[in-house]
Amino acid sequence: MRTVTIVGASLSGLYTARELRAQGYDGRLVIVGDEPHHPYDRPPLSKDFLTGRADEARLALTDAEETAELDAEWLLGVRVRALDARARTVLLDDGRTVSTDGLVIATGASARRLPGDSLAGVHTLRTLDDALALREELARGPRRVVVIGGGFIGAETASSCSSLGHAVTVVEAAPLPLVPQLGADMAAVCAALHRRGGVDLVTGTGVAGLRGTATVTGVDLTDGRTLPADTVIVGIGAVPNTAWLVGSPLAVRDGVLCDDGCVTALPQVVAVGDVASVGGHRAEHWTSATLQPRIAVTNLLAGRTVETADALPYFWSDQYGARIQFAGRCRDDDTVRITEGGLSDGAPAEGGFLARYERDGRTTAVLAVDRPRPFMRARRELARDAGEKRMPSVTP
């Protein structure tokens, strides 16, 4: 390959660029990003960056030395409009085209939006510019904040807003937040963190609409109530950025469909990160974005799938001063057993706890709150029992 193009100047895009050079690719490397920024770390946006404990420099994932070593052409602040697979060309919104032999799709996902969220005071939190705008607004003084969505982004943002002294309410349409990720029992425990952090949690009701003319003044709920609001943060999930692939030969269904090696229907095209549906699963986690590129690059340079991996799912979240860590795959019928630490009034006790999810006499997942070392041991045991190897499997 003489030219490889990475569409998406993201975490996964940067890791892919590193892997290409590490695996010996010395040809032309083009990195296209719709944001004007070089790759930055997103997890702190809802935490340290929002509260002012970290600045933009702390978010940066590259420096001048690494940028020079990568020897890439950075096309930032420009969107990709389409892929012409037959001509092996990427079309940009500004009229330019990039001819390429290999393509890495790392376009990530965009925050899902609500009708009427163009009102002033309504925010999403997905990008650096999102975080800058929200941080500026929160700095104006005490505000009534309503967070719509009790997932990880919503919970982390609510925690940060509360720590800044704002009055915060979280609205979650489900009976409990995080049930799909943690199961009902442990979701209830983590939901208690909101109460301990002084945040109101409203569950089992959706949002009917937003109030206000130019600026948001409240949130109407489907149960008839209205929550007054000066600031509304919408955290209801994300949509993979695949619109530019419409009309291409690539299959798109909740992400770009890939095999277990991140390879699409076209062997010269791979996908990584939030936009990639690898083996039928799309994971919006930091670990996926950093682990997938090595396998994707190996297969891209080989021209076919020679390596696959089935990494054990893992994610973490920081909320209300607590570190939540989860690894494995849980189901509704799993038995959950706390094996270390305990609970206090339905919330994690001081020192946290470690819980094991069990099915047919074996552990399928582990959850820890403020127990990092026991969690790491349990995670290693889980990976070993699941037959996961340190190195991904190689296809003969």
Side-chain angles (χ1 to χ4, degrees):
M1 292 184 176
R2 291 177 295 180
T3 300
V4 172
T5 300
I6 301 172
V7 180
S10 56
L11 174 70
S12 58
L14 174 63
Y15 270 68
T16 302
R18 291 171 175 170
E19 280 294 335
L20 280 162
R21 294 311 190 200
Q23 294 190 32
Y25 174 73
D26 60 1
R28 181 188 180 211
L29 177 57
V30 182
I31 303 175
V32 184
D34 62 351
E35 296 184 58
H37 315 289
H38 278 78
Y40 57 87
D41 203 16
R42 293 181 190 270
L45 293 179
S46 58
K47 300 183 279 288
D48 286 353
F49 185 80
L50 193 60
T51 58
R53 293 193 297 268
D55 57 14
E56 290 186 48
R58 287 267 302 275
L59 300 180
L61 292 171
T62 58
D63 56 24
E65 182 179 355
E66 182 182 27
T67 300
E69 289 176 352
L70 287 176
D71 189 25
E73 299 174 34
W74 295 84
L75 306 180
L76 300 178
V78 59
R79 291 183 178 275
V80 174
R81 179 164 54 88
L83 167 66
D84 187 338
R86 179 173 296 179
R88 295 197 174 188
T89 301
V90 174
L91 290 72
L92 308 183
D93 260 355
D94 61 7
R96 286 179 291 176
T97 61
V98 179
S99 297
T100 190
D101 302 303
L103 177 65
V104 181
I105 300 171
T107 45
S110 298
R112 196 181 300 275
R113 311 197 67 93
L114 277 178
D117 65 2
S118 58
L119 292 170
V122 181
H123 300 263
T124 55
L125 187 54
R126 186 81 187 182
T127 68
L128 174 56
D129 290 340
D130 290 341
L132 285 167
L134 179 57
R135 189 169 75 170
E136 180 183 355
E137 182 170 314
L138 294 173
R140 296 174 189 165
R143 306 183 72 79
R144 298 168 298 179
V145 178
V146 175
V147 179
I148 302 173
F152 291 116
I153 294 297
E156 291 171 0
T157 306
S159 171
S160 295
C161 291
S162 178
S163 72
L164 292 171
H166 302 288
V168 183
T169 301
V170 174
V171 179
E172 169 60 49
L176 282 170
L178 301 178
V179 170
Q181 294 86 358
L182 305 179
D185 291 343
M186 291 297 101
V189 172
C190 291
L193 292 172
H194 291 286
R195 181 180 68 249
R196 192 170 76 182
V199 170
D200 292 332
L201 177 61
V202 178
T203 61
T205 184
V207 172
L210 303 177
R211 290 204 173 193
T213 50
T215 302
V216 69
T217 59
V219 177
D220 291 332
L221 305 182
T222 53
D223 63 7
R225 286 181 290 171
T226 297
L227 302 176
D230 306 303
T231 299
V232 172
I233 301 159
V234 181
I236 54 174
V239 180
N241 292 324
T242 57
W244 63 284
L245 295 170
V246 172
S248 77
L250 300 183
V252 175
R253 187 171 62 251
D254 187 37
V256 179
L257 298 187
C258 312
D259 64 14
D260 290 335
C262 301
V263 179
T264 71
L266 300 174
Q268 73 274 19
V269 180
V270 296
V272 292
D274 292 357
V275 74
S277 179
V278 179
H281 301 283
R282 190 172 67 85
E284 295 181 18
H285 301 307
W286 191 91
T287 46
S288 300
T290 57
L291 292 175
Q292 291 171 354
R294 191 188 67 79
I295 300 155
V297 166
T298 297
N299 295 330
L300 178 67
L301 296 180
R304 61 189 181 92
T305 301
V306 296
E307 193 167 330
T308 62
D310 183 21
L312 190 73
Y314 165 66
F315 58 82
W316 77 91
S317 178
D318 295 316
Q319 306 172 20
Y320 306 104
R323 165 60 65 96
I324 300 170
Q325 294 172 285
F326 182 92
R329 299 176 177 88
C330 68
R331 295 194 321 208
D332 292 341
D333 57 349
D334 286 348
T335 299
V336 184
R337 196 165 52 89
I338 295 178
T339 57
E340 295 187 33
L343 307 180
S344 175
D345 193 24
E350 185 176 353
F353 67 87
L354 177 76
R356 294 177 181 269
Y357 295 70
E358 299 173 338
R359 187 186 320 143
D360 299 328
R362 62 184 183 87
T363 300
T364 59
V366 289
L367 168 70
V369 176
D370 292 334
R371 293 255 170 163
R373 289 185 179 179
F375 174 81
M376 290 306 296
R377 289 195 296 269
R379 181 186 173 193
R380 285 195 294 267
E381 293 171 5
L382 184 63
R384 185 180 64 246
D385 293 345
E388 180 183 86
K389 296 180 174 60
R390 183 176 295 272
M391 295 295 291
S393 59
V394 177
T395 303

